[in-house]
Amino acid sequence: MIELDQDPPRRQFETLIPLINVVFLLLIFFLLAGTMTPADNVAVKLPTGALNDSERDMPATLLVEADGFVWLGDRPIDPKIVEQALKEYLADKGMERVAVKADAEAPAEALLLLMEALRKVGVQQVTIVTERGR
Amino acid sequence: MFDEPVRRRNMASLTPLIDVVFLLLIFFMLTTSFLKTQSLSVVTPAPNASELPTDARVVEIWLMGDGTLRVDGTPVARENLTEAVKAGIGGRKDMTVTILAESGSRTQAFVSAIEAARQAGARDVGTARVEKITP
């Protein structure tokens, strides 16, 4: 009678251990395989490309939305008048490493307007973020 | 008599641990992104397009407003762009490729053109926007 009473809890305990093992494994997988990046304000569908210059850790990232608006941090600005705001935005981010995440469907004109403004502000080279294409 | 309380305490201490591990798991599942991105370095364009060279050592890629591409005025399909630019360069080392984007062209075409120019072996890649390309 005593043995019968003791058996059920032990069996429960034993079936729990593989579950915990699997959960731990999943946890470690996500810890190692994933990269944590701050979420962008707007969803941008990146253009596909084949080349990779392997530029990493860009402190200043500008977004160009599909409708052509440029996001500096948390505010959208028309690319035609972006110059002054760029100067202020890049003052504390640095001019050396500027990344542009442009939507694949964004007008090339908006991207070029932004790049012209960057040149006027003193940025010689930008990094366009792309996705590995087919 | 003394065995039972000890075992029960062991079981109880395991449950919060599992809860925390589950929470961590869900946190990492939601916050991680597996999207692999690449980067493409581009020199920013000169403020006015007239500074671009226009002599014989230049191959021009036109991004038309309707989405088509032209190399030195000849229409080219997107997948043949690299070959067309390579043919225009013809193996010379001092060639510049200029990409002119008409209003209405898209970023995807622009990125493809830059990559084609670099893969074809251009020394410099210049970019400019124009309202309307007049052949």
Side-chain angles (χ1 to χ4, degrees), chain B residues 41-109:
Chain B
S41 297
V42 182
V43 175
T44 49
N48 39 344
S50 57
E51 284 179 26
L52 289 167
T54 49
D55 58 11
R57 288 174 294 128
V58 172
V59 175
E60 281 189 347
I61 304 176
W62 297 349
L63 312 179
M64 310 306 282
D66 56 2
T68 56
L69 302 163
R70 291 183 183 206
V71 175
D72 283 340
T74 325
V76 171
R78 178 85 50 99
E79 54 271 19
N80 303 329
L81 187 59
T82 309
E83 280 76 53
V85 177
K86 207 174 266 173
I89 286 175
R92 279 167 291 178
K93 294 268 184 280
D94 57 346
M95 293 295 278
T96 301
V97 173
T98 300
I99 297 163
L100 296 177
E102 201 178 65
S103 62
S105 55
R106 303 279 154 197
T107 298
Q108 177 64 65

Side-chain angles (χ1 to χ4, degrees), chain A residues 44-48 64 66 102-107, chain B residues 106-109:
Chain A
V44 168
K45 195 187 158 296
L46 294 172
T48 56
V64 182
D103 196 290
E105 288 301 307
Chain B
R106 303 279 154 197
T107 298
Q108 177 64 65

Side-chain angles (χ1 to χ4, degrees), chain B residues 19-66:
Chain B
D19 287 353
V20 168
V21 170
F22 260 114
L23 256 177
L24 282 171
L25 179 68
I26 291 163
F27 171 75
F28 281 109
M29 278 175 77
L30 295 182
T31 53
T32 49
S33 57
F34 292 97
L35 188 68
K36 280 266 179 292
T37 57
Q38 306 180 113
S39 54
L40 182 69
S41 297
V42 182
V43 175
T44 49
N48 39 344
S50 57
E51 284 179 26
L52 289 167
T54 49
D55 58 11
R57 288 174 294 128
V58 172
V59 175
E60 281 189 347
I61 304 176
W62 297 349
L63 312 179
M64 310 306 282
D66 56 2

Side-chain angles (χ1 to χ4, degrees), chain A residues 9-21 23-24, chain B residues 6-22:
Chain A
R10 200 177 282 165
R11 214 171 275 157
Q12 247 182 10
F13 185 76
E14 277 161 13
T15 52
L16 215 57
I17 288 174
L19 172 77
I20 301 166
N21 286 345
V23 171
F24 260 114
Chain B
V6 172
R7 193 174 293 137
R8 214 171 268 163
R9 213 176 279 158
N10 268 352
M11 284 295 291
S13 68
L14 210 59
T15 320
L17 172 77
I18 301 164
D19 287 353
V20 168
V21 170
F22 260 114

